Amino acid sequence: MSAPAPASAPRTDHPGVIAWVDEMARLCLPDRIHWCDGSEEEKERLTQQAVDAKILIRLNQEKLPGCYYHRSNPNDVARVEECTYICTRTRDEAGPTNNWMAPADMYRKLYDLCHGAMKGRTMYVVPYLMGPPGSPMTKIGLELTDSLYVVLSMRIMTRMGQVAWDQLGSGGTYTKGLHSMLDVNPGRRFITHFPQDNAIISVGSNYGGNVLLGKKCLALRLGSYLGRDEGWMAEHMLILGVESPHGEKTYVAAAFPSSCGKTNFAMLIPPKQFSGWKITTVGDDIAWMKPGPDGRLRAINPEAGYFGVVPGTNSKSNPNAMQAMSRDTIYTNVALTPDGDVWWEGKDGEPPKECLDWKGNPWTPASNEKAAHPNSRFAAPMANNPALAPEANDPDGVPISALIFGGRRATTLPLVFQAFNWIHGVYVGATMGSEMTAAAAGTLGQVRRDPMAMLPFCGYNMGDYFAHWLKMRKLLKNPPKIFSVNWFRKAKDGSFLWPGYGENMRVLKWIVDRCRGRVPAYESPLGWMPDPSDIDSTGLSDTDRTNLPEALSLNFEEWKREVLLQDELFFRLYSDLPKELLFQRELLISRL
Ligand code: OXD
Ligand code: MN
């Protein structure tokens, strides 16, 4: 057994922080307060406490050094959009796509729930940075939480501890975050944002996307709100660098809805034929982007770790992720083998003869249930990624040449096209649709409109968000080109038309070459498109090469239906929709 935590003294003399922590402690009534410093020694001590309390299971340290296993409450395995609120002063500011409650009413409701909620527990004061230390784009957050799992995960996902206390100083601004698991009851689960107070309160859950407050809550929901006011953009985008054999580097940022392969794309390994080409990862989920002094859009990844979907990850689909999660990783809701290893559907090799599934029940290959939850996750430090771009720690970020919007669509959306210009690109992003995945509770497979993959993450009115995108063009002398991709189109027999994974390099190369004016395109009703012969297909399998024209084809009947389906979102947003987007819709219809 580990020694009890020594009483910990405040690690800051910031009067606002001291007063707020005191106020929250008087509300939640924890037995102890622990001010985190982020040190190695603290990590070891808190990890041992989590093991003693059965919050974490130590995995086989020979196979997986520094790795631990966590099982969540089975009622708490994904983000819950129906419990997520944007509490702006007026309902109109939050817009029709967000749940809203007046701030005073929500504070009252949550303070009632939090009253005495930490009795018998420790309140951890977790200071963290979103962004590299010293970057003008970096923001400071403080999360008060009663979950050790959250503390240890935040230490992976953010720059947590003394580095944040140092940047905060005695007068810095910060985002307030309060989290209590309560009794992990879906009926008392609220993920709430108060943009005008720069504050977050999350109760009743212990699932990453709901409780690692730096991630979706600060970096996207409050981030998008702050970005609108401060002239920058917080986007649900990976950032990667493409390095050519001549050492030329091009950076792209790409938005895909949750669980559509952002992590895989960010860590892509090019096929053999692309010898000398290299992809490096700046970020796998979130981009903060601001016009730089040179008039280009510069991006940082605010996070320091990956919270990736595990099932389907293997040495073919994502070798870099496999390495990243081979040490110092927290696994959640995968399966546990008798020798302390982890397993999931789609891992390399044969399934274990027996193991415990994500709920802790005995499982064999004959079982009808899945061993790992489809939204089981790994939290791994980005430093573990063999393809990490050194620029991921650059306070100035990287210049973005292309923005890519991608959906998961079995039909309609071709493999790739380029928007005619920025306004058209905003329309392409705004009308994105995708089939729903297990990352959020909902109906799997149903197509829903997910503009810029931000539907669950935009911290204000979506119509105003589109207007902000349009306005950003005016701040950029040299804006990125905008593209649409779809790796998931299917043939009539249900098979995928494009192999995906590392082969996506072929499409990425066309995108990079378009940005650099090196490759032709023809004008289609959707935008600029490659002829199949413009996509480098050396070494592609015969089937994939045969399928390429179909993967790139346009079906006018499907597109007429698509435009009508897009209207569903446009009608909801109608009064707030920038006119430019309605004009783009008309132009598309006339081109079709
Ligand atoms: C995530 C998500 O976890 O988008 O990144 O749900
Ligand atoms: Mn995400």
Side-chain angles (χ1 to χ4, degrees):
M1 290 286 279
S2 59
S8 112
R11 296 203 164 265
T12 176
D13 57 2
H14 190 302
V17 172
I18 305 273
W20 173 61
V21 172
D22 185 55
E23 186 193 340
M24 291 301 106
R26 277 186 285 118
L27 172 72
C28 303
L29 302 177
D31 284 11
R32 284 169 301 277
I33 300 180
H34 175 92
W35 296 72
C36 294
D37 63 15
S39 65
E40 203 51 45
E41 182 278 322
E42 178 186 73
K43 174 187 155 188
E44 272 165 31
R45 187 156 39 82
L46 296 184
T47 302
Q48 185 58 50
Q49 282 174 25
V51 170
D52 292 343
K54 301 196 168 20
I55 295 164
L56 293 181
I57 294 175
R58 185 171 280 117
L59 290 168
N60 183 325
Q61 296 297 295
E62 268 167 35
K63 286 189 168 174
L64 295 166
C67 293
Y68 290 83
Y69 176 82
H70 175 76
R71 239 179 233 127
S72 78
N73 188 315
N75 76 30
D76 186 33
V77 293
R79 284 182 293 97
V80 273
E81 290 168 17
E82 68 277 15
C83 310
T84 302
Y85 284 77
I86 302 295
C87 303
T88 39
R89 268 178 226 125
T90 64
R91 184 189 288 273
D92 186 51
E93 282 171 279
T97 61
N98 283 313
N99 298 313
W100 176 85
M101 198 187 276
D105 294 342
M106 186 58 97
Y107 276 126
R108 200 171 314 113
K109 185 184 181 83
L110 295 181
Y111 283 179
D112 274 355
L113 289 172
C114 287
H115 186 242
M118 296 190 189
K119 273 189 192 153
R121 300 180 186 177
T122 300
M123 173 191 270
Y124 298 91
V125 183
V126 182
Y128 60 94
L129 295 182
M130 296 312 287
S135 168
M137 295 196 68
T138 290
K139 301 274 181 204
I140 304 167
L142 280 186
E143 176 163 0
L144 310 183
T145 176
D146 55 8
S147 163
L148 262 177
Y149 171 76
V150 166
V151 178
L152 293 166
S153 302
M154 285 293 282
R155 193 179 182 283
I156 296 173
M157 295 303 300
T158 69
R159 289 136 174 123
M160 188 277 257
Q162 195 56 43
V163 64
W165 291 128
D166 289 345
Q167 190 149 335
L168 177 71
S170 52
T173 30
Y174 58 97
T175 298
K176 291 175 181 168
L178 173 65
H179 165 244
S180 175
M181 293 188 285
L182 306 180
D183 54 353
V184 198
N185 175 344
R188 297 167 5 118
R189 185 167 293 160
F190 294 95
I191 323 300
T192 65
H193 308 74
F194 302 87
Q196 277 116 357
D197 299 340
N198 197 8
I200 306 157
I201 302 180
S202 167
V203 296
S205 171
N206 202 33
Y207 169 74
N210 298 328
V211 300
L212 306 179
L213 300 186
K215 191 173 179 63
K216 302 302 182 181
C217 301
L218 195 173
L220 288 178
R221 297 196 189 97
L222 292 187
S224 57
Y225 184 93
L226 292 168
R228 188 225 0 211
D229 288 353
E230 296 170 3
W232 54 279
M233 306 164 88
E235 297 299 329
H236 193 201
M237 290 184 173
L238 65 93
I239 310 164
L240 61 79
V242 185
E243 195 175 323
S244 79
H246 312 293
E248 168 197 86
K249 270 203 156 184
T250 309
Y251 299 94
V252 314
F256 294 78
S258 307
S259 208
C260 286
K262 276 207 302 297
T263 305
N264 290 346
F265 192 42
M267 298 183 184
L268 178 157
I269 295 188
K272 293 200 285 309
Q273 298 72 25
F274 282 72
S275 129
W277 287 84
K278 206 165 104 196
I279 302 299
T280 54
T281 318
V282 179
D284 81 324
D285 194 40
I286 298 172
W288 282 359
M289 302 187 287
K290 190 177 181 167
D294 56 357
R296 300 188 68 187
L297 195 58
R298 294 199 80 93
I300 61 163
N301 168 18
E303 301 189 278
Y306 309 124
F307 182 64
V309 177
V310 181
T313 311
N314 55 50
S315 58
K316 178 166 178 280
S317 64
N318 195 339
N320 289 325
M322 289 302 283
Q323 274 215 46
M325 61 169 120
S326 65
R327 58 200 154 90
D328 303 322
T329 292
I330 300 178
Y331 288 92
T332 302
N333 289 345
V334 294
L336 182 62
T337 68
D339 64 342
D341 198 353
V342 281
W343 192 77
W344 54 83
E345 278 73 18
K347 194 180 181 187
D348 299 294
E350 293 299 308
K353 290 198 175 51
E354 52 171 14
C355 62
L356 295 178
D357 71 7
W358 66 277
K359 291 184 190 155
N361 298 323
W363 184 94
T364 70
S367 303
N368 291 327
E369 309 263 321
K370 295 230 188 286
H373 188 275
N375 193 36
S376 50
R377 297 280 179 145
F378 69 91
M382 70 177 182
N384 283 3
N385 174 7
L388 181 70
E391 304 88 314
N393 288 305
D394 186 340
D396 293 330
V398 295
I400 298 295
S401 296
L403 295 174
I404 304 176
F405 294 119
R408 177 188 286 272
R409 297 295 301 272
T411 64
T412 320
L413 200 60
L415 183 59
V416 62
F417 67 87
Q418 180 188 348
F420 291 121
N421 52 39
W422 181 271
I423 301 181
H424 178 225
V426 173
Y427 172 79
V428 169
T431 51
M432 250 171 88
S434 195
E435 290 153 24
M436 284 192 69
T437 67
T443 318
L444 282 183
Q446 199 180 353
V447 173
R448 75 161 175 184
R449 293 297 126 194
D450 189 352
M452 281 83 172
M454 282 288 278
L455 186 68
F457 305 120
C458 185
Y460 61 103
N461 189 316
M462 202 82 199
D464 296 340
Y465 167 79
F466 297 150
H468 179 55
W469 263 84
L470 294 169
K471 201 169 122 202
M472 286 303 295
R473 170 66 185 91
K474 303 194 179 93
L475 306 178
L476 294 167
K477 216 164 54 213
N478 190 357
K481 311 253 182 297
I482 300 183
F483 297 82
S484 161
V485 301
N486 176 23
W487 317 136
F488 300 96
R489 200 168 182 186
K490 288 183 174 168
K492 291 217 169 45
D493 66 3
S495 61
F496 285 109
L497 286 168
W498 178 247
Y501 301 112
E503 306 294 347
N504 293 336
M505 179 69 212
R506 300 171 190 278
V507 176
L508 193 52
K509 180 164 180 294
W510 184 77
I511 289 174
V512 167
D513 286 342
R514 286 294 297 164
C515 292
R516 294 188 175 270
R518 294 197 284 237
V519 70
Y522 76 90
E523 188 177 342
S524 82
L526 298 189
W528 297 107
M529 291 192 70
D531 185 81
S533 63
D534 295 328
I535 302 280
D536 187 338
S537 62
T538 32
L540 203 58
S541 79
D542 287 347
T543 317
D544 294 333
R545 193 167 315 116
T546 314
N547 284 341
L548 187 54
E550 194 180 338
L552 282 167
S553 65
L554 294 187
N555 177 319
F556 284 75
E557 288 314 308
E558 284 178 356
W559 269 96
K560 284 181 199 156
R561 270 199 300 278
E562 179 71 8
V563 177
L564 292 178
L565 289 173
Q566 293 172 357
D567 283 345
E568 174 236 334
L569 180 76
F570 273 23
F571 283 143
R572 271 168 85 197
L573 292 173
Y574 193 79
S575 57
D576 303 305
L577 208 59
K579 293 233 171 9
E580 288 90 331
L581 299 189
L582 296 174
F583 295 148
Q584 286 294 329
R585 178 184 176 280
E586 296 305 307
L587 286 171
L588 173 62
I589 292 170
S590 44
R591 289 195 302 266
L592 285 168

